[in-house]
Amino acid sequence: MSNTSLHKFLEAVSDLTGEHCGRAFTDEWTSLLVERDRLLKNSWREIDPATISREERKKLLKEVDFDTLTSNAQRYLEGATYPQFLFQVAITAIRYGELEKAKRLLNAIVKKYNRIIDKASLARVHNNLSTIAFYQNDFQAARQGLKISLGLYRELGQVEGVVSVQNRLGTVLIELGKPEEGKQHLQEAREAATKVQLTTTLASIDVNLG
């Protein structure tokens, strides 16, 4: 990732953290950034953090701030709102190609917070872990994540989730050299998608079936 792309990513995470944690967090965070910048520049000039604009604050961000933002947010978010925040950050990380950061956050949700988030959220977490694994050509891990996600969506009776996951699972199984098992999932997904008229997903399934 280029320095420009990395900085855009950090800006997005900073904005997301501020939105979730509120003004108190933003004020404290701005003070920390300003003080760090002053120390790094060996400057004795005091700067009032209240005078720092949003754009000026963004310019002070460094890669180390990703971990600081995601960990400090816990002090401002209670219960399931913290893992929900981590999930949003992980989705942002995937969008910017920061797959390892996203995987770390998603795995943390699975290991530490699986008991306080709902099954639908957990299904989405495993689904996105499978997406990361697929991007990294780890098809076994992708398969594992999709199977867990599929089981959760089936428990919830969420047809759209089941269809989406089966469509992806079918393609992964084909990549793993299991075409018959993969086509079975694709056919089941096609039947369900037809029943509930998931037109866009149905088109994707037809492409995957060839």
Side-chain angles (χ1 to χ4, degrees):
M1 178 178 273
S2 68
N3 286 336
T4 302
S5 298
L6 174 62
H7 212 268
K8 289 290 184 185
F9 166 63
L10 293 173
E11 288 176 8
V13 173
S14 179
D15 285 344
L16 190 61
T17 310
E19 289 168 13
H20 279 75
C21 298
R23 183 60 184 267
F25 174 88
T26 301
D27 289 346
E28 181 182 346
W29 180 239
T30 302
S31 295
L32 288 171
L33 290 177
V34 169
E35 180 61 14
R36 181 181 67 188
D37 186 61
R38 187 180 70 81
L39 291 173
L40 287 173
K41 291 178 178 178
N42 199 25
S43 171
W44 291 101
R45 186 169 71 92
E46 295 289 342
I47 299 175
D48 183 359
T51 65
I52 301 295
S53 70
R54 179 169 172 267
E55 293 306 313
E56 288 175 317
R57 183 174 68 246
K58 286 181 177 181
K59 291 177 183 178
L60 301 177
L61 292 168
K62 299 182 182 300
E63 186 168 13
V64 67
D65 293 328
F66 175 79
D67 289 331
T68 307
L69 284 164
T70 53
S71 60
N72 283 357
Q74 190 170 14
R75 294 192 291 115
Y76 294 83
L77 301 172
E78 297 180 356
T81 58
Y82 181 60
Q84 287 166 0
F85 159 74
L86 293 181
F87 179 78
Q88 292 301 319
V89 175
I91 296 302
T92 302
I94 292 172
R95 192 168 73 244
Y96 280 89
E98 288 282 353
L99 301 185
E100 288 301 320
K101 287 182 173 65
K103 183 162 66 173
R104 180 152 45 91
L105 293 180
L106 293 171
N107 279 323
I109 295 172
V110 172
K111 292 175 182 176
K112 298 179 181 179
Y113 306 105
N114 65 86
R115 293 184 179 180
I116 64 172
I117 62 173
D118 57 77
K119 286 184 179 180
S121 297
L122 194 56
R124 289 192 291 271
V125 168
H126 284 290
N127 200 4
N128 279 279
L129 279 169
S130 76
T131 297
I132 295 170
F134 188 86
Y135 287 158
Q136 296 177 330
N137 295 318
D138 187 349
F139 299 120
Q140 288 289 359
R143 176 191 182 188
Q144 181 182 359
L146 287 168
K147 284 199 166 186
I148 295 172
S149 184
L150 179 60
L152 290 166
Y153 278 130
R154 280 176 169 163
E155 285 181 34
L156 293 165
Q158 290 191 3
V159 177
E160 190 170 348
V162 169
V163 169
S164 175
V165 172
Q166 278 199 295
N167 182 28
R168 293 186 54 225
L169 181 56
T171 60
V172 168
L173 287 166
I174 291 170
E175 289 285 349
L176 286 168
K178 298 185 177 184
E180 294 306 315
E181 189 179 349
K183 286 178 182 177
Q184 181 181 341
H185 278 286
L186 290 170
Q187 290 287 3
E188 290 176 7
R190 193 182 194 288
E191 290 174 14
T194 301
K195 285 181 182 178
V196 295
Q197 299 181 336
L198 297 174
T199 309
T200 302
T201 307
L202 190 58
S204 172
I205 294 168
D206 286 337
V207 169
N208 291 331
L209 278 168

